[in-house]
Amino acid sequence: PGALIELAVLAACLGLAWLIVRTWRGNIQRPTSVWFGERIVDGVLFPVLALVFAVLARWLLSRGQVVQAAAVFQIAVPILASLVVIRVAVRVLRVAFPQSRAVRIVERTISWLVWIMLVLWVTGLLPVVLAEMEGVRWKLGGVDVSLRSLVEGALSAVVVLVAALWTSAAIESRLMVGAGVANLSLRKIAANAVRALLLLVGVLLALSAAGIPLGALGVLGGAIGVGIGFGLQKLAANYV
């Protein structure tokens, strides 16, 4: 019975979020901004504000007993949360790799995975799927690893890598501000080194969260470190 009231409140939340982003962003397109993007609803700020307002509205409606069961918000809040996850991943990847064609494929893959998990969670099938994945186990480096832990580790890796790319993009933009012709190459090398270091740390943390022993990956980590060192040395030689 209270669905019409919830729909009206939800529309007000979306409208308020749109108005705030429109006022804050202005008429200027910001394709290199994670928060704003090229359009008003293209950045991260709009779904974040909409999610915050929706959660607050659901709490106020339930506390004030305006509606008996917030059925609309039980679906709207998870959808908005999924939209936040998708927009963060998409915007960070576009800012970090603006010229990469593979980014489009990664964006669609992330979107499909997030929406599938949302459907499983809303329908109540997610706990069943997780229980079945926990039963699939094998040995990896002398450690008993389940399919669920690997999937959770992969999701953790995605989160950590997106955070690392976002941080490196922010650091790179700071380094490029006021860069002249003389020190532009050195600042670019420093930005690439920071990005490589953050990505390496993020991968190691994600593997550790998945339960994979880092000792078994010691040789691989050393090879990666040597490769990064040679790559940075080659970049420095070319710029010099």
Side-chain angles (χ1 to χ4, degrees):
L4 294 179
I5 298 177
E6 292 183 70
L7 289 174
V9 174
L10 180 61
C13 293
L14 296 176
L16 181 60
W18 184 90
L19 181 61
I20 293 176
V21 176
R22 175 68 176 80
T23 304
W24 195 349
R25 175 180 177 272
N27 296 323
I28 302 175
Q29 293 185 354
R30 303 182 184 183
T32 59
S33 174
V34 176
W35 288 104
F36 294 98
E38 299 177 0
R39 298 180 296 273
I40 296 178
V41 298
D42 191 42
V44 177
L45 186 58
F46 173 76
V48 168
L49 289 177
L51 177 61
V52 172
F53 293 152
V55 172
L56 181 60
R58 182 179 64 176
W59 179 77
L60 292 175
L61 289 177
S62 61
R63 186 176 180 84
Q65 297 182 353
V66 179
V67 294
Q68 296 297 328
V72 174
F73 280 99
Q74 288 180 1
I75 303 297
V77 170
I79 290 177
L80 291 175
S82 301
L83 186 60
V84 169
V85 174
I86 293 173
R87 295 314 305 166
V88 168
V90 169
R91 289 306 308 167
V92 170
L93 289 175
R94 288 185 181 179
V95 172
F97 307 103
Q99 304 298 331
S100 178
R101 296 182 179 179
V103 171
R104 299 291 182 180
I105 301 176
V106 176
E107 291 175 0
R108 293 177 182 177
T109 304
I110 293 176
S111 299
W112 275 104
L113 291 176
V114 171
W115 292 127
I116 290 173
M117 291 183 62
L118 172 65
V119 172
L120 292 176
W121 183 80
V122 171
T123 56
L125 295 176
L126 185 58
V128 179
V129 174
L130 293 178
E132 292 295 330
M133 293 171 59
E134 184 68 26
V136 180
R137 294 179 172 271
W138 59 86
K139 293 288 184 179
L140 182 60
V143 179
D144 190 16
V145 181
S146 65
L147 179 60
R148 176 178 177 177
S149 64
L150 289 180
V151 173
E152 291 177 351
L155 295 177
S156 302
V158 171
V159 173
V160 173
L161 293 180
V162 168
L165 288 174
W166 194 347
T167 305
S168 64
I171 294 176
E172 182 177 359
S173 63
R174 293 289 183 180
L175 290 175
M176 293 296 107
V177 173
V181 180
N183 58 357
L184 179 61
S185 300
L186 293 177
R187 294 194 180 191
K188 190 65 176 179
I189 292 175
N192 292 333
V194 171
R195 176 177 296 181
L197 180 60
L198 290 175
L199 290 177
L200 179 59
V201 173
V203 170
L204 294 177
L205 290 176
L207 292 175
S208 177
I212 299 177
L214 298 181
L217 302 175
V219 177
L220 179 60
I224 293 175
V226 173
I228 293 175
F230 277 116
L232 293 177
Q233 183 179 1
K234 184 177 181 180
L235 283 174
N238 291 335
Y239 282 120
V240 173

